[in-house]
PDB file of all heavy atoms in Angstrom:
ATOM      1  N   ILE A   1      72.652 181.190 152.193  1.00 82.00           N
ATOM      2  CA  ILE A   1      74.004 181.433 152.713  1.00 82.00           C
ATOM      3  C   ILE A   1      74.166 180.769 154.077  1.00 82.00           C
ATOM      4  O   ILE A   1      75.179 180.119 154.357  1.00 82.00           O
ATOM      5  CB  ILE A   1      74.283 182.944 152.809  1.00 82.00           C
ATOM      6  CG1 ILE A   1      74.256 183.575 151.418  1.00 82.00           C
ATOM      7  CG2 ILE A   1      75.628 183.206 153.481  1.00 82.00           C
ATOM      8  CD1 ILE A   1      74.254 185.083 151.444  1.00 82.00           C
ATOM      9  N   VAL A   2      73.169 180.935 154.926  1.00 82.00           N
ATOM     10  CA  VAL A   2      73.215 180.311 156.250  1.00 82.00           C
ATOM     11  C   VAL A   2      73.275 178.796 156.117  1.00 82.00           C
ATOM     12  O   VAL A   2      74.044 178.122 156.827  1.00 82.00           O
ATOM     13  CB  VAL A   2      71.990 180.743 157.079  1.00 82.00           C
ATOM     14  CG1 VAL A   2      71.900 179.934 158.363  1.00 82.00           C
ATOM     15  CG2 VAL A   2      72.067 182.232 157.401  1.00 82.00           C
ATOM     16  N   ASP A   3      72.473 178.225 155.214  1.00 83.00           N
ATOM     17  CA  ASP A   3      72.486 176.777 155.007  1.00 83.00           C
ATOM     18  C   ASP A   3      73.859 176.300 154.542  1.00 83.00           C
ATOM     19  O   ASP A   3      74.334 175.236 154.956  1.00 83.00           O
ATOM     20  CB  ASP A   3      71.431 176.381 153.969  1.00 83.00           C
ATOM     21  CG  ASP A   3      70.012 176.544 154.500  1.00 83.00           C
ATOM     22  OD1 ASP A   3      69.849 176.565 155.740  1.00 83.00           O
ATOM     23  OD2 ASP A   3      69.077 176.653 153.679  1.00 83.00           O
ATOM     24  N   LEU A   4      74.487 177.092 153.670  1.00 80.00           N
ATOM     25  CA  LEU A   4      75.809 176.712 153.170  1.00 80.00           C
ATOM     26  C   LEU A   4      76.835 176.707 154.297  1.00 80.00           C
ATOM     27  O   LEU A   4      77.619 175.760 154.435  1.00 80.00           O
ATOM     28  CB  LEU A   4      76.229 177.682 152.065  1.00 80.00           C
ATOM     29  CG  LEU A   4      77.595 177.409 151.415  1.00 80.00           C
ATOM     30  CD1 LEU A   4      77.560 176.105 150.629  1.00 80.00           C
ATOM     31  CD2 LEU A   4      78.001 178.559 150.494  1.00 80.00           C
ATOM     32  N   LEU A   5      76.826 177.749 155.118  1.00 76.00           N
ATOM     33  CA  LEU A   5      77.784 177.826 156.221  1.00 76.00           C
ATOM     34  C   LEU A   5      77.498 176.747 157.262  1.00 76.00           C
ATOM     35  O   LEU A   5      78.437 176.140 157.817  1.00 76.00           O
ATOM     36  CB  LEU A   5      77.721 179.209 156.859  1.00 76.00           C
ATOM     37  CG  LEU A   5      78.187 180.365 155.959  1.00 76.00           C
ATOM     38  CD1 LEU A   5      77.885 181.707 156.614  1.00 76.00           C
ATOM     39  CD2 LEU A   5      79.679 180.248 155.669  1.00 76.00           C
ATOM     40  N   ALA A   6      76.216 176.499 157.526  1.00 77.00           N
ATOM     41  CA  ALA A   6      75.866 175.445 158.482  1.00 77.00           C
ATOM     42  C   ALA A   6      76.294 174.073 157.959  1.00 77.00           C
ATOM     43  O   ALA A   6      76.801 173.239 158.712  1.00 77.00           O
ATOM     44  CB  ALA A   6      74.363 175.465 158.754  1.00 77.00           C
ATOM     45  N   ALA A   7      76.096 173.842 156.662  1.00 78.00           N
ATOM     46  CA  ALA A   7      76.508 172.563 156.068  1.00 78.00           C
ATOM     47  C   ALA A   7      78.012 172.380 156.168  1.00 78.00           C
ATOM     48  O   ALA A   7      78.502 171.271 156.436  1.00 78.00           O
ATOM     49  CB  ALA A   7      76.062 172.507 154.609  1.00 78.00           C
ATOM     50  N   LEU A   8      78.745 173.470 155.984  1.00 73.00           N
ATOM     51  CA  LEU A   8      80.201 173.381 156.077  1.00 73.00           C
ATOM     52  C   LEU A   8      80.645 173.091 157.501  1.00 73.00           C
ATOM     53  O   LEU A   8      81.519 172.250 157.738  1.00 73.00           O
ATOM     54  CB  LEU A   8      80.824 174.690 155.576  1.00 73.00           C
ATOM     55  CG  LEU A   8      82.346 174.712 155.499  1.00 73.00           C
ATOM     56  CD1 LEU A   8      82.842 173.745 154.439  1.00 73.00           C
ATOM     57  CD2 LEU A   8      82.840 176.119 155.180  1.00 73.00           C
ATOM     58  N   SER A   9      80.028 173.773 158.476  1.00 69.00           N
ATOM     59  CA  SER A   9      80.430 173.564 159.872  1.00 69.00           C
ATOM     60  C   SER A   9      80.076 172.166 160.363  1.00 69.00           C
ATOM     61  O   SER A   9      80.764 171.593 161.195  1.00 69.00           O
ATOM     62  CB  SER A   9      79.779 174.629 160.756  1.00 69.00           C
ATOM     63  OG  SER A   9      78.369 174.488 160.735  1.00 69.00           O
ATOM     64  N   GLU A  10      78.974 171.601 159.825  1.00 72.00           N
ATOM     65  CA  GLU A  10      78.527 170.265 160.242  1.00 72.00           C
ATOM     66  C   GLU A  10      79.020 169.157 159.321  1.00 72.00           C
ATOM     67  O   GLU A  10      78.663 167.992 159.492  1.00 72.00           O
ATOM     68  CB  GLU A  10      76.994 170.236 160.302  1.00 72.00           C
ATOM     69  CG  GLU A  10      76.423 171.207 161.331  1.00 72.00           C
ATOM     70  CD  GLU A  10      74.903 171.309 161.220  1.00 72.00           C
ATOM     71  OE1 GLU A  10      74.321 170.533 160.431  1.00 72.00           O
ATOM     72  OE2 GLU A  10      74.311 172.151 161.925  1.00 72.00           O
ATOM     73  N   ARG A  11      79.821 169.556 158.303  1.00 72.00           N
ATOM     74  CA  ARG A  11      80.356 168.586 157.325  1.00 72.00           C
ATOM     75  C   ARG A  11      79.217 167.817 156.644  1.00 72.00           C
ATOM     76  O   ARG A  11      79.298 166.610 156.430  1.00 72.00           O
ATOM     77  CB  ARG A  11      81.336 167.615 157.974  1.00 72.00           C
ATOM     78  CG  ARG A  11      82.427 168.238 158.842  1.00 72.00           C
ATOM     79  CD  ARG A  11      83.286 169.235 158.077  1.00 72.00           C
ATOM     80  NE  ARG A  11      84.481 169.623 158.807  1.00 72.00           N
ATOM     81  CZ  ARG A  11      84.626 170.756 159.476  1.00 72.00           C
ATOM     82  NH1 ARG A  11      83.609 171.606 159.559  1.00 72.00           N
ATOM     83  NH2 ARG A  11      85.758 171.062 160.065  1.00 72.00           N
ATOM     84  N   ASP A  12      78.164 168.538 156.292  1.00 77.00           N
ATOM     85  CA  ASP A  12      76.991 167.930 155.662  1.00 77.00           C
ATOM     86  C   ASP A  12      77.093 168.112 154.146  1.00 77.00           C
ATOM     87  O   ASP A  12      76.742 169.161 153.599  1.00 77.00           O
ATOM     88  CB  ASP A  12      75.720 168.584 156.202  1.00 77.00           C
ATOM     89  CG  ASP A  12      74.441 167.875 155.728  1.00 77.00           C
ATOM     90  OD1 ASP A  12      74.522 167.113 154.753  1.00 77.00           O
ATOM     91  OD2 ASP A  12      73.378 168.101 156.337  1.00 77.00           O
ATOM     92  N   GLU A  13      77.571 167.077 153.453  1.00 78.00           N
ATOM     93  CA  GLU A  13      77.783 167.170 152.011  1.00 78.00           C
ATOM     94  C   GLU A  13      76.471 167.366 151.255  1.00 78.00           C
ATOM     95  O   GLU A  13      76.385 168.151 150.316  1.00 78.00           O
ATOM     96  CB  GLU A  13      78.486 165.909 151.504  1.00 78.00           C
ATOM     97  CG  GLU A  13      79.870 165.695 152.096  1.00 78.00           C
ATOM     98  CD  GLU A  13      80.475 164.378 151.645  1.00 78.00           C
ATOM     99  OE1 GLU A  13      79.918 163.767 150.704  1.00 78.00           O
ATOM    100  OE2 GLU A  13      81.503 163.961 152.221  1.00 78.00           O
ATOM    101  N   ARG A  14      75.436 166.631 151.653  1.00 81.00           N
ATOM    102  CA  ARG A  14      74.165 166.688 150.935  1.00 81.00           C
ATOM    103  C   ARG A  14      73.563 168.081 150.992  1.00 81.00           C
ATOM    104  O   ARG A  14      73.071 168.604 149.976  1.00 81.00           O
ATOM    105  CB  ARG A  14      73.192 165.668 151.549  1.00 81.00           C
ATOM    106  CG  ARG A  14      71.875 165.496 150.822  1.00 81.00           C
ATOM    107  CD  ARG A  14      72.076 164.851 149.475  1.00 81.00           C
ATOM    108  NE  ARG A  14      72.028 165.804 148.386  1.00 81.00           N
ATOM    109  CZ  ARG A  14      72.337 165.525 147.142  1.00 81.00           C
ATOM    110  NH1 ARG A  14      72.767 164.312 146.820  1.00 81.00           N
ATOM    111  NH2 ARG A  14      72.268 166.430 146.199  1.00 81.00           N
ATOM    112  N   ALA A  15      73.610 168.703 152.163  1.00 82.00           N
ATOM    113  CA  ALA A  15      73.044 170.042 152.305  1.00 82.00           C
ATOM    114  C   ALA A  15      73.824 171.054 151.472  1.00 82.00           C
ATOM    115  O   ALA A  15      73.237 171.960 150.857  1.00 82.00           O
ATOM    116  CB  ALA A  15      73.042 170.461 153.775  1.00 82.00           C
ATOM    117  N   MET A  16      75.131 170.897 151.417  1.00 81.00           N
ATOM    118  CA  MET A  16      75.963 171.811 150.628  1.00 81.00           C
ATOM    119  C   MET A  16      75.671 171.654 149.138  1.00 81.00           C
ATOM    120  O   MET A  16      75.567 172.641 148.400  1.00 81.00           O
ATOM    121  CB  MET A  16      77.434 171.552 150.910  1.00 81.00           C
ATOM    122  CG  MET A  16      78.367 172.581 150.299  1.00 81.00           C
ATOM    123  SD  MET A  16      80.062 172.361 150.862  1.00 81.00           S
ATOM    124  CE  MET A  16      80.840 173.796 150.120  1.00 81.00           C
ATOM    125  N   ILE A  17      75.505 170.422 148.677  1.00 80.00           N
ATOM    126  CA  ILE A  17      75.181 170.173 147.272  1.00 80.00           C
ATOM    127  C   ILE A  17      73.838 170.801 146.920  1.00 80.00           C
ATOM    128  O   ILE A  17      73.678 171.419 145.864  1.00 80.00           O
ATOM    129  CB  ILE A  17      75.168 168.657 146.985  1.00 80.00           C
ATOM    130  CG1 ILE A  17      76.589 168.097 147.095  1.00 80.00           C
ATOM    131  CG2 ILE A  17      74.590 168.364 145.607  1.00 80.00           C
ATOM    132  CD1 ILE A  17      76.649 166.580 147.020  1.00 80.00           C
ATOM    133  N   ASP A  18      72.861 170.659 147.824  1.00 81.00           N
ATOM    134  CA  ASP A  18      71.533 171.206 147.561  1.00 81.00           C
ATOM    135  C   ASP A  18      71.585 172.718 147.344  1.00 81.00           C
ATOM    136  O   ASP A  18      70.914 173.257 146.448  1.00 81.00           O
ATOM    137  CB  ASP A  18      70.583 170.871 148.712  1.00 81.00           C
ATOM    138  CG  ASP A  18      70.235 169.386 148.764  1.00 81.00           C
ATOM    139  OD1 ASP A  18      70.431 168.708 147.736  1.00 81.00           O
ATOM    140  OD2 ASP A  18      69.790 168.920 149.834  1.00 81.00           O
ATOM    141  N   VAL A  19      72.377 173.420 148.163  1.00 81.00           N
ATOM    142  CA  VAL A  19      72.467 174.872 148.029  1.00 81.00           C
ATOM    143  C   VAL A  19      73.143 175.246 146.714  1.00 81.00           C
ATOM    144  O   VAL A  19      72.651 176.100 145.964  1.00 81.00           O
ATOM    145  CB  VAL A  19      73.246 175.478 149.215  1.00 81.00           C
ATOM    146  CG1 VAL A  19      73.468 176.975 148.988  1.00 81.00           C
ATOM    147  CG2 VAL A  19      72.490 175.264 150.516  1.00 81.00           C
ATOM    148  N   LEU A  20      74.267 174.602 146.410  1.00 79.00           N
ATOM    149  CA  LEU A  20      74.994 174.951 145.196  1.00 79.00           C
ATOM    150  C   LEU A  20      74.205 174.596 143.942  1.00 79.00           C
ATOM    151  O   LEU A  20      74.246 175.329 142.943  1.00 79.00           O
ATOM    152  CB  LEU A  20      76.362 174.247 145.184  1.00 79.00           C
ATOM    153  CG  LEU A  20      77.339 174.701 146.272  1.00 79.00           C
ATOM    154  CD1 LEU A  20      78.639 173.918 146.186  1.00 79.00           C
ATOM    155  CD2 LEU A  20      77.620 176.192 146.148  1.00 79.00           C
ATOM    156  N   ILE A  21      73.476 173.482 143.969  1.00 76.00           N
ATOM    157  CA  ILE A  21      72.635 173.114 142.834  1.00 76.00           C
ATOM    158  C   ILE A  21      71.535 174.149 142.632  1.00 76.00           C
ATOM    159  O   ILE A  21      71.157 174.487 141.511  1.00 76.00           O
ATOM    160  CB  ILE A  21      72.022 171.705 143.030  1.00 76.00           C
ATOM    161  CG1 ILE A  21      73.108 170.625 142.900  1.00 76.00           C
ATOM    162  CG2 ILE A  21      70.909 171.456 142.027  1.00 76.00           C
ATOM    163  CD1 ILE A  21      73.710 170.505 141.525  1.00 76.00           C
ATOM    164  N   GLU A  22      71.022 174.686 143.749  1.00 77.00           N
ATOM    165  CA  GLU A  22      69.974 175.710 143.655  1.00 77.00           C
ATOM    166  C   GLU A  22      70.498 176.944 142.928  1.00 77.00           C
ATOM    167  O   GLU A  22      69.741 177.631 142.220  1.00 77.00           O
ATOM    168  CB  GLU A  22      69.507 176.092 145.074  1.00 77.00           C
ATOM    169  CG  GLU A  22      68.357 177.075 145.113  1.00 77.00           C
ATOM    170  CD  GLU A  22      67.060 176.488 144.578  1.00 77.00           C
ATOM    171  OE1 GLU A  22      66.887 175.251 144.640  1.00 77.00           O
ATOM    172  OE2 GLU A  22      66.231 177.273 144.073  1.00 77.00           O
ATOM    173  N   TRP A  23      71.793 177.227 143.078  1.00 75.00           N
ATOM    174  CA  TRP A  23      72.379 178.403 142.433  1.00 75.00           C
ATOM    175  C   TRP A  23      72.667 178.185 140.960  1.00 75.00           C
ATOM    176  O   TRP A  23      72.968 179.143 140.247  1.00 75.00           O
ATOM    177  CB  TRP A  23      73.672 178.795 143.149  1.00 75.00           C
ATOM    178  CG  TRP A  23      73.435 179.360 144.514  1.00 75.00           C
ATOM    179  CD1 TRP A  23      72.256 179.795 145.029  1.00 75.00           C
ATOM    180  CD2 TRP A  23      74.406 179.546 145.557  1.00 75.00           C
ATOM    181  NE1 TRP A  23      72.416 180.244 146.313  1.00 75.00           N
ATOM    182  CE2 TRP A  23      73.728 180.100 146.668  1.00 75.00           C
ATOM    183  CE3 TRP A  23      75.762 179.307 145.664  1.00 75.00           C
ATOM    184  CZ2 TRP A  23      74.373 180.419 147.853  1.00 75.00           C
ATOM    185  CZ3 TRP A  23      76.411 179.621 146.837  1.00 75.00           C
ATOM    186  CH2 TRP A  23      75.724 180.171 147.938  1.00 75.00           C
ATOM    187  N   THR A  24      72.623 176.958 140.477  1.00 68.00           N
ATOM    188  CA  THR A  24      72.955 176.688 139.080  1.00 68.00           C
ATOM    189  C   THR A  24      71.875 177.180 138.138  1.00 68.00           C
ATOM    190  O   THR A  24      72.143 177.409 136.956  1.00 68.00           O
ATOM    191  CB  THR A  24      73.167 175.181 138.838  1.00 68.00           C
ATOM    192  OG1 THR A  24      71.932 174.479 139.094  1.00 68.00           O
ATOM    193  CG2 THR A  24      74.246 174.638 139.747  1.00 68.00           C
ATOM    194  N   GLY A  25      70.643 177.329 138.625  1.00 64.00           N
ATOM    195  CA  GLY A  25      69.550 177.751 137.748  1.00 64.00           C
ATOM    196  C   GLY A  25      69.262 176.691 136.711  1.00 64.00           C
ATOM    197  O   GLY A  25      69.014 175.527 137.036  1.00 64.00           O
ATOM    198  N   THR A  26      69.343 177.089 135.430  1.00 63.00           N
ATOM    199  CA  THR A  26      69.060 176.154 134.338  1.00 63.00           C
ATOM    200  C   THR A  26      70.305 175.449 133.818  1.00 63.00           C
ATOM    201  O   THR A  26      70.217 174.673 132.877  1.00 63.00           O
ATOM    202  CB  THR A  26      68.394 176.911 133.178  1.00 63.00           C
ATOM    203  OG1 THR A  26      69.270 177.973 132.733  1.00 63.00           O
ATOM    204  CG2 THR A  26      67.059 177.513 133.610  1.00 63.00           C
ATOM    205  N   THR A  27      71.458 175.722 134.417  1.00 65.00           N
ATOM    206  CA  THR A  27      72.699 175.099 133.937  1.00 65.00           C
ATOM    207  C   THR A  27      72.701 173.608 134.260  1.00 65.00           C
ATOM    208  O   THR A  27      72.549 173.218 135.426  1.00 65.00           O
ATOM    209  CB  THR A  27      73.921 175.763 134.607  1.00 65.00           C
ATOM    210  OG1 THR A  27      73.876 177.170 134.376  1.00 65.00           O
ATOM    211  CG2 THR A  27      75.214 175.202 134.045  1.00 65.00           C
ATOM    212  N   PRO A  28      72.868 172.739 133.251  1.00 70.00           N
ATOM    213  CA  PRO A  28      72.912 171.294 133.534  1.00 70.00           C
ATOM    214  C   PRO A  28      74.193 170.916 134.261  1.00 70.00           C
ATOM    215  O   PRO A  28      75.277 171.398 133.938  1.00 70.00           O
ATOM    216  CB  PRO A  28      72.864 170.664 132.131  1.00 70.00           C
ATOM    217  CG  PRO A  28      73.395 171.721 131.213  1.00 70.00           C
ATOM    218  CD  PRO A  28      72.997 173.033 131.815  1.00 70.00           C
ATOM    219  N   VAL A  29      74.069 170.071 135.266  1.00 74.00           N
ATOM    220  CA  VAL A  29      75.216 169.670 136.084  1.00 74.00           C
ATOM    221  C   VAL A  29      75.178 168.156 136.270  1.00 74.00           C
ATOM    222  O   VAL A  29      74.108 167.575 136.503  1.00 74.00           O
ATOM    223  CB  VAL A  29      75.179 170.371 137.462  1.00 74.00           C
ATOM    224  CG1 VAL A  29      76.320 169.891 138.341  1.00 74.00           C
ATOM    225  CG2 VAL A  29      75.250 171.878 137.291  1.00 74.00           C
TER     226      VAL A  29
END
């Protein structure tokens, strides 16, 4: 959660993608 908020505040797209991908589990994206 902290990484997601930090990525948003710093406009870091890669970091935000990494967090959301981690939440996908086994779902193919």
Side-chain angles (χ1 to χ4, degrees):
I1 296 169
V2 171
D3 290 339
L4 181 67
L5 294 171
L8 185 66
S9 64
E10 298 171 6
R11 311 302 192 259
D12 188 343
E13 298 176 12
R14 186 68 258 171
M16 189 172 186
I17 292 172
D18 290 341
V19 174
L20 294 179
I21 289 294
E22 184 67 26
W23 290 346
T24 63
T26 58
T27 305
V29 177

